[in-house]
Amino acid sequence: EAAVTQSPRSKVAVTGGKVTLSCHQTNNHDYMYWYRQDTGHGLRLIHYSYVADSTEKGDIPDGYKASRPSQENFSLILELASLSQTAVYFCASSDDRGREQYFGPGTRLTVL
Amino acid sequence: GDSVTQTEGLVTVTEGLPVKLNCTYQTTYLTIAFFWYVQYLNEAPQVLLKSSTDNKRTEHQGFHATLHKSSSSFHLQKSSAQLSDSALYYCALMGYGSSGNKLIFGIGTLLSVKP
């Protein structure tokens, strides 16, 4: 069964601080994605990657960086966290960008 | 541009009664597929239904949906709602293009089933 895990599951950060969210998948999928979830906006794509050591911008990349050091791992980095980045973040993977995406359990980030 | 519009906000239905969650779309993609994702409280979104065939009914877990390209819709329906159906539902359009494929989500509809 598809397995995408995220860490931490929740985090409180201070404005201006650096935050790193991690994602690990055991699906042997090439594609990995980072979304943020906000009420009234649904799921919005931040960054994605289809191969290790390469990332692509999604629809809302400003204020976020991504890193894909291996096929299994994909990180989302907030260099200078801001209040507006308070949200739930989901990682997902798929074997092709046109195929079903499998989501992780999410990370609830609160920036104070 | 490409977009997915869902029944907004909260839909409340009484257990045992039918439920319908609306989903319409606009797209420039010539080849498309659709997903309904369901997200239970504190869980990850997961695929409930998927379809790429026009006018073909797709069913899973008592839910059904039919892609109607003529009306640009992929509504989700169930004849008898259960308490366990309470969740957040996302309609998503997958567009297939020469410059790459893209999954576009609606904003989600929260379904609350009451006894």
Side-chain angles (χ1 to χ4, degrees), chain A residues 23-109:
Chain A
C23 178
H24 179 80
Q25 55 105 353
T26 58
N27 304 326
N28 198 33
H29 286 167
D30 288 329
Y31 282 80
M32 296 187 74
Y33 312 83
W34 276 108
Y35 291 89
R36 66 175 281 172
Q37 181 181 48
D38 303 273
T39 302
H41 291 280
L43 293 164
R44 293 182 290 173
L45 182 64
I46 305 171
H47 286 287
Y48 69 98
S49 168
Y50 56 86
V51 66
D53 297 322
S54 178
T55 63
E56 306 291 333
K57 293 180 179 180
D59 297 321
I60 54 164
D62 293 345
Y64 303 93
K65 291 173 57 179
S67 173
R68 181 92 181 269
S70 64
Q71 187 196 39
E72 298 81 16
N73 296 292
F74 192 36
S75 297
L76 185 68
I77 304 151
L78 290 66
E79 296 277 5
L80 295 170
S82 67
L83 294 174
S84 64
Q85 293 176 313
T86 293
V88 178
Y89 291 85
F90 286 97
C91 177
S93 74
S94 67
D95 60 0
D96 182 273
R97 194 162 182 212
R99 298 285 192 88
E100 174 179 344
Q101 295 182 16
Y102 294 87
F103 282 80
T107 295
R108 183 174 298 277
L109 175 64

Side-chain angles (χ1 to χ4, degrees), chain B residues 5-97:
Chain B
T5 301
Q6 293 186 236
T7 302
E8 291 188 11
L10 174 67
V11 171
T12 302
V13 64
T14 301
E15 184 182 17
L17 294 184
V19 60
K20 180 180 180 182
L21 304 184
N22 292 324
C23 174
T24 58
Y25 65 91
Q26 287 185 306
T27 186
T28 56
Y29 286 99
L30 297 179
T31 303
I32 59 174
F34 271 90
F35 298 87
W36 273 102
Y37 278 82
V38 59
Q39 183 182 3
Y40 300 104
L41 187 63
N42 296 323
E43 294 187 14
Q46 56 186 292
V47 170
L48 175 63
L49 289 173
K50 52 187 174 183
S51 176
S52 59
T53 305
D54 197 12
N55 298 316
K56 181 179 179 181
R57 176 172 164 141
T58 301
E59 298 189 34
H60 187 59
Q61 295 182 355
F63 286 91
H64 64 91
T66 303
L67 176 59
H68 291 296
K69 293 185 178 180
S70 61
S71 59
S72 301
S73 67
F74 190 57
H75 306 316
L76 182 68
Q77 301 183 68
K78 190 174 187 183
S79 59
S80 176
Q82 306 301 308
L83 296 175
S84 58
D85 295 330
S86 295
L88 180 60
Y89 292 81
Y90 285 107
C91 183
L93 159 71
M94 177 68 78
Y96 299 90

